[in-house]
Amino acid sequence: ILMPEKSSPFSVFSRFSIKVQILVGFMPVLLVLVALTLTSNANFNSFFTQSDNLKKSTDRGMLILEVGRDIVKLQRAVSVYSQAGYSGMVRKIHGLEKKLEGRFSLLEQSFEAQHVESKKRFERLTGHYYGYKEQFEDVIARRKEIVRLTEDEAEPIHSELQTLIQAIVQRNSENERHKVAMQAASIGRNLLQVHINFSVFLSTPDSKTIQDTKYLMKKILKDTQALGRDVTAPESKAEIEKIETLIGAYEQKFLEVVNVNRGYLALINVVLSGKAAEIDRLIGELEELDKEYLTNINAQIDRNMQDSRNQYLLLSVVAALTGIILALLIALGIANPIQRIATTLS
């Protein structure tokens, strides 16, 4: 006679076949493994997304550095042009501008929705850059105007003045009017000094050169008027009258060059320098914002890796404990009936 089965937690499993007990015991472990797989997949997807963001941020940082480097090259080229006026430097500057605008296009495309502050800095940067570019075109125009006034207008006047002076010197030397010849030669030397002052002013403009040139112009005019009182030949008097007219025109051209050059220097030393300083500051701010964003991405990646490791360990422990407990329940559910039979038979 079999003893009546006592109620126990293991009796639930003993009512089913061994196959069913094994399957039922494996299901919680399977669920834990599925949860572990899904969690790991989500973490891996997040890791790949963050790695892609990290690469984009790194590429954007390199692009910002390249923009900053090209801006420095542009500013140096503009400085060289403002001092020397080489036409070849203008072609180099236009090439740098084209290269920069291509980088600006790439940089604009690299910004995403969360880069609000970086976009604001970038918009201000491009605004100052295009203002810088426009003002440089004005610099080129003023430089050309200075060259035109000097070479196309002042230079012919100077040449004609020297020709007239030399004619007076030669005529009076031949007629042994040495005093008049010496006066005319002195005027010619002063005119040559004015011509030199033109060149000096264009390379290193300063107020002293302007004052010296104005003084020479007045002296030349005064000496020419005195010379006109000493000559008697009609042709010489006509030449001196023409010299007086040309001296006034020559002085006027010098003053025009001075005025244009003042605006030219103001553009270079004030307007362009101010925009260049603002551009440099904004590039620095873009670099700092990108470094901050890069630091945040690295920190987020570290946090996600730590979270993934903790989740993996937790689910692994749950899976192991669940497997041990269910294995124990199944084993006892199988062993208990056998023990009761053995006890009854004995």
Side-chain angles (χ1 to χ4, degrees):
I1 299 172
L2 292 175
M3 298 292 294
E5 184 178 340
K6 295 181 179 180
S7 177
S8 69
F10 310 110
S11 61
V12 177
F13 287 94
S14 61
R15 298 174 183 176
F16 303 99
S17 64
I18 295 176
K19 180 178 179 182
V20 172
Q21 291 183 41
I22 293 173
L23 289 175
V24 171
F26 182 71
M27 285 302 296
V29 178
L30 179 61
L31 292 174
V32 173
L33 293 175
V34 169
L36 181 62
T37 302
L38 293 175
T39 304
S40 299
N41 183 64
N43 289 332
F44 278 125
N45 289 337
S46 176
F47 174 77
F48 290 135
T49 300
Q50 290 164 355
S51 297
D52 185 57
N53 290 337
L54 182 63
K55 181 180 181 303
K56 289 179 180 178
S57 182
T58 303
D59 293 342
R60 183 168 53 252
M62 293 299 299
L63 196 55
I64 292 172
L65 289 175
E66 290 171 354
V67 167
R69 181 191 61 193
D70 290 342
I71 286 290
V72 171
K73 288 182 180 178
L74 178 65
Q75 292 170 359
R76 288 176 179 171
V78 169
S79 177
V80 171
Y81 175 79
S82 67
Q83 295 174 10
Y86 297 138
S87 58
M89 192 60 66
V90 175
R91 291 191 293 272
K92 180 179 180 180
I93 290 169
H94 287 161
L96 284 169
E97 289 173 346
K98 185 177 180 181
K99 187 177 180 181
L100 266 170
E101 287 161 18
R103 295 195 192 281
F104 282 149
S105 179
L106 293 174
L107 189 57
E108 184 177 16
Q109 294 172 12
S110 69
F111 291 122
E112 298 177 357
Q114 64 269 30
H115 302 135
V116 178
E117 291 300 321
S118 295
K119 286 181 179 179
K120 289 180 181 178
R121 301 299 194 286
F122 176 74
E123 289 172 0
R124 289 168 57 189
L125 170 63
T126 52
H128 284 291
Y129 163 76
Y130 285 110
Y132 185 93
K133 179 181 178 181
E134 182 180 350
Q135 293 297 331
F136 177 70
E137 293 301 319
D138 196 8
V139 166
I140 295 174
R142 288 175 185 265
R143 182 82 187 189
K144 289 180 179 178
E145 178 67 9
I146 292 171
V147 172
R148 185 189 67 79
L149 288 170
T150 304
E151 297 181 359
D152 298 343
E153 297 189 14
E155 187 70 31
I157 294 174
H158 175 264
S159 298
E160 189 174 358
L161 281 168
Q162 288 291 356
T163 300
L164 291 169
I165 294 294
Q166 291 301 320
I168 293 173
V169 171
Q170 185 176 358
R171 185 182 304 112
N172 286 277
S173 296
E174 291 173 353
N175 296 331
E176 296 185 354
R177 297 188 184 94
H178 299 297
K179 179 182 177 181
V180 173
M182 289 177 64
Q183 286 176 324
S186 176
I187 292 171
R189 287 193 296 272
N190 287 334
L191 280 172
L192 182 60
Q193 185 60 51
V194 169
H195 184 262
I196 293 171
N197 285 358
F198 255 99
S199 301
V200 171
F201 178 77
L202 292 177
S203 60
T204 55
D206 57 38
S207 59
K208 186 177 185 304
T209 304
I210 296 173
Q211 296 301 322
D212 290 346
T213 304
K214 287 182 178 180
Y215 170 78
L216 280 173
M217 287 290 190
K218 289 179 181 179
K219 188 175 188 307
I220 289 168
L221 183 59
K222 183 179 179 181
D223 292 345
T224 303
Q225 291 170 347
L227 182 63
R229 291 191 293 269
D230 292 339
V231 297
T232 56
E235 62 271 22
S236 293
K237 283 187 174 294
E239 288 170 345
I240 288 173
E241 289 177 359
K242 191 173 184 180
I243 288 172
E244 290 178 2
T245 303
L246 289 173
I247 288 172
Y250 197 38
E251 184 177 13
Q252 182 62 34
K253 293 304 172 186
F254 177 74
L255 294 177
E256 288 181 20
V257 169
V258 169
N259 289 331
V260 174
N261 195 69
R262 281 173 179 166
Y264 174 78
L265 292 176
L267 275 174
I268 292 171
N269 298 327
V270 179
V271 179
L272 288 185
S273 296
K275 288 190 175 295
E278 189 66 16
I279 288 170
D280 292 341
R281 184 181 67 82
L282 289 168
I283 287 176
E285 289 181 5
L286 275 176
E287 290 177 353
E288 289 301 319
L289 286 170
D290 192 70
K291 287 179 182 177
E292 182 180 348
Y293 181 69
L294 190 63
T295 301
N296 291 337
I297 291 177
N298 285 326
Q300 189 174 2
I301 289 175
D302 291 340
R303 286 195 301 271
N304 287 346
M305 290 182 66
Q306 183 65 36
D307 292 342
S308 298
R309 182 165 56 251
N310 293 339
Q311 290 174 4
Y312 180 80
L313 290 174
L314 177 63
L315 291 174
S316 297
V317 170
V318 171
L321 291 176
T322 304
I324 292 171
I325 292 171
L326 291 175
L328 180 61
L329 292 175
I330 293 170
L332 292 176
I334 294 172
N336 285 342
I338 295 174
Q339 289 177 354
R340 287 197 301 271
I341 293 171
T343 301
T344 301
L345 293 175
S346 64

